[in-house]
Amino acid sequence: MNDRKKFSPSASSRHIEYRPGILRLLDQTRLPAETAFVEARTWQEVAEAIAHLRVRGAPAIGIAAAYALALHAHHLTDQNASTATFTSGLRTAADGLIASRPTAVNLSWAANRLLRYAQAQLAQNTTLPEIAASLDTLAQEIHADDIEACRSIGRYGSGLFDAQVSILTHCNTGDLATGGYGTALGIIRSLWQEGKLTGVYVDETRPLLQGSRLTAWELQRDGIPYTLIADNMAASCMQRGAIDAVIVGADRIARNGDTANKIGTYGLAVLARAHGIPFIVAAPCSTLDASLASGDQIVIEQRNPAEVTSFAGVAAAPDGATASNPAFDITPAAFITGIVTETGVLRPPYETDIQRVSAQPPERVAP
Amino acid sequence: MNDRKKFSPSASSRHIEYRPGILRLLDQTRLPAETAFVEARTWQEVAEAIAHLRVRGAPAIGIAAAYALALHAHHLTDQNASTATFTSGLRTAADGLIASRPTAVNLSWAANRLLRYAQAQLAQNTTLPEIAASLDTLAQEIHADDIEACRSIGRYGSGLFDAQVSILTHCNTGDLATGGYGTALGIIRSLWQEGKLTGVYVDETRPLLQGSRLTAWELQRDGIPYTLIADNMAASCMQRGAIDAVIVGADRIARNGDTANKIGTYGLAVLARAHGIPFIVAAPCSTLDASLASGDQIVIEQRNPAEVTSFAGVAAAPDGATASNPAFDITPAAFITGIVTETGVLRPPYETDIQRVSAQPPERVAP
């Protein structure tokens, strides 16, 4: 276990803090107006926080789910659960957490890692309190590994650019969406640190405004120059040559490279191609889902239409307005210039690389 | 003057009501929550209403400007203005009105029509009170003609479709944006009346949400089925085959067909082309500006960035966020399948047709 904390969760990752018994989450629904925290003591409270987007971003909700299962393992051992009850209790919690949001694969990736690990320990007759303690450690490892992965993504992504560039991004893929540092925003941070960034165009990202509420907040805090735009302004920015590349995150990437990401991503990919602009996806390997042949098989979460008929809590449409609210869309692999992971930049055709890198789950926790 | 009221301003056009001395405007900034009116008694009050989007939509602000000049002509005659003062006073008011929003050409089209008419009357030694009275009539004629033009646009546009269709539209181009009936929404109304419409996808149209606040309100009032979407959802609707055509309005159309319209229009045009979907512009001839060779010469209004960083007074971005807020973009003619005017459907290349139909100003008021 000695090599797992190359990157401790840093100041930038205090939005997810765990100590046995409590998972403390920055409530992202209240940013930027308020810095408020949720203290979750049960897996159900974590599932509620995920479902209501108090914690969001594919890697971040995977980390939160891992901590939630560790919390629950302690509850079960505190109740002197039998081995059978411990096993079924963890499974029930994992299923509940996975169901809290259907599209991001990181939830099931993290939950299944903890379940597999607990099973392996049980097979070695490890005691339940020892297993619960080592699930704490595994969850912390998943968290630390994600930060490390983001820093690698940042370096690999930044390496794609030689000259100074202006980047368009969508939604929030920064500290808040990950263990820390960020995926697409990690690349933007690395570009900035290396003096290769002229500025960032930030899509506000309707309906829940993760761009204006969260990405603008992170960039402003870090002193990185940005311009907030309404989502429908991206095309005219491209038309006048203001964008050198589009970089976005991902919630699930199928074996062929088709990518589910925040609604609006697909439109940006089409616009980028029409303007000859590279379209880059940034995600850790935990977002790859080699079990799905293509994006057609990815379930798209449909959220409450009230998120569309209102804006920042203010009604914006007439009473009774009908609205649609898919949370994600699918960008076909053919539109994606490259997928930046912690193992390097994958290039089309993606299938062989995605199968290779997703076949190496980093099961590094030892008993 | 006998033929000018083929279509009286109807119930649907009560958002602009004039009687000598008062222009009563439905305050569109307060919809859909409130049905409140502004009563403007001076041209400056009308210019304020235009600048603050209490009345908006290229044809509607042209009509409002015409009434504002008629109001001012009465003020000048009430003050026993000399002919010179009357002429310069009208010119000052026209300049102020035209400056209230720079992109829509209908403002200057309408204002210049009234100025030319007043000049012609002065040349015939008509008295100033008589001129003021006939400016009332001319403004009412411009209003009635616009409704008639919209109904023609509706018929011509509907005639483009044989089968039942699902239409995507952007911003508001309905009653509220015109004298009444609407341009793009006029076509949608005609399709509905003719049983050729399966439904409408309505872009909410950030930052000022004319789609959710105004278009959804009009469609709901009229019982036309619609689905409100965030602007960034349009691409995924096209991807899954839910859109048969995109129909939008225009604020200024250059001689070559390049079209200025609400920000986000250009992106829809690129997306429509990528998905093989017709992209239709609907506008009266008063929106054509044959004096400009191309869209490069159209001035794009830059509005307050606070419209992007907030909505209805609620902040959505951190204090001090930098934002961009162009109100319009330019769609190159090459992306436009057809331009529907009251004279018929113009097809590319547009230049000859635009010069022809814009060379026939309907100067029908007789002394």
Side-chain angles (χ1 to χ4, degrees):
Chain A
M1 279 193 272
N2 296 330
D3 65 347
R4 75 168 183 277
K5 286 202 174 168
K6 283 181 202 155
F7 293 94
S8 302
S10 65
S12 67
S13 65
R14 286 191 187 140
H15 60 293
I16 305 178
E17 278 192 320
Y18 178 76
R19 64 173 195 265
I22 296 181
L23 178 62
R24 187 168 175 268
L25 299 167
L26 177 59
D27 186 347
Q28 299 188 30
T29 63
R30 296 165 76 174
L31 285 174
E34 282 181 88
T35 304
F37 292 85
V38 174
E39 294 199 339
R41 289 174 171 77
T42 65
W43 75 260
Q44 290 93 340
E45 288 170 353
V46 178
E48 188 275 346
I50 294 170
H52 290 87
L53 280 56
R54 302 188 199 288
V55 56
R56 31 63 53 203
I61 64 179
I63 293 161
Y67 284 129
L69 283 182
L71 280 178
H72 195 53
H74 286 286
H75 280 292
L76 291 166
T77 56
D78 289 349
Q79 294 161 6
N80 294 310
S82 67
T83 300
T85 304
F86 181 85
T87 305
S88 67
L90 281 188
R91 181 74 254 174
T92 300
D95 290 344
L97 288 158
I98 291 168
S100 62
R101 293 199 76 191
T103 301
V105 71
N106 311 63
L107 270 181
S108 57
W109 174 87
N112 288 329
R113 255 186 92 181
L114 266 73
L115 289 186
R116 279 199 308 274
Y117 181 71
Q119 282 301 327
Q121 295 296 294
L122 284 169
Q124 295 176 29
N125 295 316
T126 312
T127 67
L128 298 188
E130 285 172 336
I131 295 176
S134 64
L135 290 180
D136 288 343
T137 305
L138 178 53
Q140 286 164 331
E141 178 170 303
I142 286 172
H143 189 175
D145 282 351
D146 188 67
I147 299 171
E148 188 175 359
C150 286
R151 290 187 183 271
S152 294
I153 288 168
R155 282 190 298 272
Y156 283 119
S158 176
L160 292 169
F161 303 96
D162 294 325
Q164 286 221 326
V165 285
S166 167
I167 303 293
L168 173 72
T169 192
H170 191 65
C171 198
N172 174 267
T173 59
D175 281 344
L176 296 167
T178 60
Y181 200 70
T183 53
L185 213 57
I187 297 175
I188 288 166
R189 287 199 157 92
S190 294
L191 285 166
W192 178 246
Q193 286 156 10
E194 296 168 20
K196 293 198 285 189
L197 185 74
T198 55
V200 187
Y201 283 87
V202 177
D203 273 358
E204 65 174 3
T205 317
R206 277 282 287 158
L208 293 177
L209 300 169
Q210 292 92 338
S212 45
R213 293 191 304 106
L214 308 178
T215 300
W217 181 81
E218 288 197 32
L219 293 173
Q220 195 155 314
R221 184 193 61 188
D222 292 3
I224 299 175
Y226 72 91
T227 304
L228 183 64
I229 58 172
D231 301 317
N232 65 27
M233 296 172 187
S236 73
C237 292
M238 293 185 192
Q239 186 185 36
R240 64 186 162 83
I243 312 289
D244 297 307
V246 178
I247 311 181
V248 298
D251 287 77
R252 192 183 294 243
I253 301 174
R255 196 163 70 230
N256 69 344
D258 289 356
T259 294
N261 191 47
K262 181 57 54 200
I263 187 72
T265 300
Y266 167 63
L268 292 176
V270 174
L271 292 170
R273 164 165 294 183
H275 293 86
I277 296 169
F279 183 86
I280 310 290
V281 171
C285 292
S286 57
T287 305
L288 303 173
D289 185 353
S291 75
L292 301 185
S294 79
D296 296 343
Q297 298 169 270
I298 299 176
V299 174
I300 299 294
E301 177 184 6
Q302 303 292 326
R303 294 185 59 85
N304 190 336
E307 293 176 353
V308 172
T309 57
S310 62
F311 185 97
V314 180
D319 285 346
T322 36
S324 176
N325 189 15
F328 304 96
D329 58 26
I330 306 290
T331 300
F335 288 90
I336 301 170
T337 312
I339 299 174
V340 185
T341 73
E342 68 272 36
T343 68
V345 181
L346 314 186
R347 295 288 195 174
Y350 296 105
E351 188 146 343
T352 306
D353 278 347
I354 288 178
Q355 284 185 305
R356 178 176 53 78
V357 301
S358 63
Q360 301 165 342
E363 307 279 14
R364 279 184 287 141
V365 168
Chain B
M1 280 193 271
N2 296 330
D3 66 345
R4 75 168 183 278
K5 286 202 174 168
K6 281 181 201 155
F7 293 94
S8 303
S10 65
S12 67
S13 65
R14 288 193 185 138
H15 60 293
I16 305 177
E17 281 191 319
Y18 179 76
R19 64 170 196 266
I22 295 182
L23 178 62
R24 186 168 174 268
L25 298 168
L26 177 59
D27 186 346
Q28 299 187 30
T29 64
R30 295 166 77 174
L31 285 174
E34 283 181 87
T35 304
F37 292 85
V38 174
E39 294 199 339
R41 289 175 171 75
T42 65
W43 76 262
Q44 291 93 338
E45 288 169 352
V46 178
E48 189 276 346
I50 293 171
H52 290 86
L53 278 58
R54 303 188 199 288
V55 58
R56 29 67 51 204
I61 63 179
I63 293 162
Y67 284 130
L69 283 181
L71 280 178
H72 195 53
H74 286 285
H75 280 292
L76 292 165
T77 55
D78 289 350
Q79 294 160 8
N80 295 312
S82 67
T83 299
T85 304
F86 182 84
T87 303
S88 69
L90 280 188
R91 180 74 254 173
T92 299
D95 290 345
L97 288 158
I98 292 168
S100 62
R101 293 199 75 190
T103 301
V105 71
N106 311 62
L107 271 180
S108 56
W109 175 87
N112 288 329
R113 254 187 92 179
L114 266 74
L115 290 185
R116 279 199 308 275
Y117 181 71
Q119 283 301 329
Q121 295 295 295
L122 285 168
Q124 295 177 27
N125 295 318
T126 312
T127 67
L128 298 189
E130 284 171 336
I131 294 175
S134 64
L135 290 180
D136 289 342
T137 304
L138 177 55
Q140 286 163 330
E141 177 170 304
I142 286 172
H143 189 176
D145 282 352
D146 187 68
I147 299 171
E148 187 174 0
C150 286
R151 291 186 181 271
S152 294
I153 288 168
R155 282 190 298 272
Y156 283 120
S158 176
L160 291 170
F161 302 97
D162 294 324
Q164 287 220 323
V165 285
S166 167
I167 303 294
L168 174 73
T169 192
H170 191 66
C171 199
N172 174 268
T173 58
D175 281 344
L176 296 167
T178 61
Y181 200 70
T183 53
L185 213 56
I187 296 176
I188 288 167
R189 287 200 157 92
S190 294
L191 284 167
W192 177 245
Q193 286 156 10
E194 295 169 19
K196 293 198 284 189
L197 185 75
T198 56
V200 187
Y201 283 86
V202 177
D203 273 358
E204 65 174 5
T205 317
R206 277 282 287 155
L208 293 177
L209 299 170
Q210 292 92 338
S212 46
R213 293 191 304 106
L214 308 178
T215 300
W217 181 80
E218 288 197 32
L219 292 174
Q220 193 155 314
R221 186 193 61 188
D222 292 2
I224 299 176
Y226 72 91
T227 304
L228 182 65
I229 58 173
D231 300 317
N232 65 28
M233 296 173 186
S236 73
C237 292
M238 293 185 192
Q239 187 185 37
R240 63 185 164 84
I243 311 288
D244 297 306
V246 178
I247 311 181
V248 299
D251 287 79
R252 191 183 294 241
I253 300 173
R255 195 162 71 230
N256 69 344
D258 290 354
T259 295
N261 191 47
K262 180 57 54 199
I263 187 72
T265 301
Y266 167 63
L268 292 177
V270 174
L271 292 170
R273 163 166 293 184
H275 292 87
I277 295 169
F279 183 86
I280 309 291
V281 170
C285 292
S286 57
T287 305
L288 302 173
D289 185 353
S291 76
L292 301 186
S294 80
D296 296 344
Q297 297 169 270
I298 299 177
V299 174
I300 299 294
E301 177 185 6
Q302 304 291 327
R303 295 186 59 85
N304 190 336
E307 293 177 351
V308 173
T309 58
S310 66
F311 176 76
V314 179
D319 285 348
T322 36
S324 175
N325 189 16
F328 304 95
D329 59 26
I330 306 291
T331 300
F335 287 90
I336 301 170
T337 312
I339 299 174
V340 185
T341 72
E342 69 271 37
T343 68
V345 181
L346 313 186
R347 295 289 195 173
Y350 295 106
E351 187 144 346
T352 306
D353 277 348
I354 288 178
Q355 284 184 306
R356 177 177 53 79
V357 301
S358 64
Q360 301 165 342
E363 308 278 14
R364 280 185 285 140
V365 169

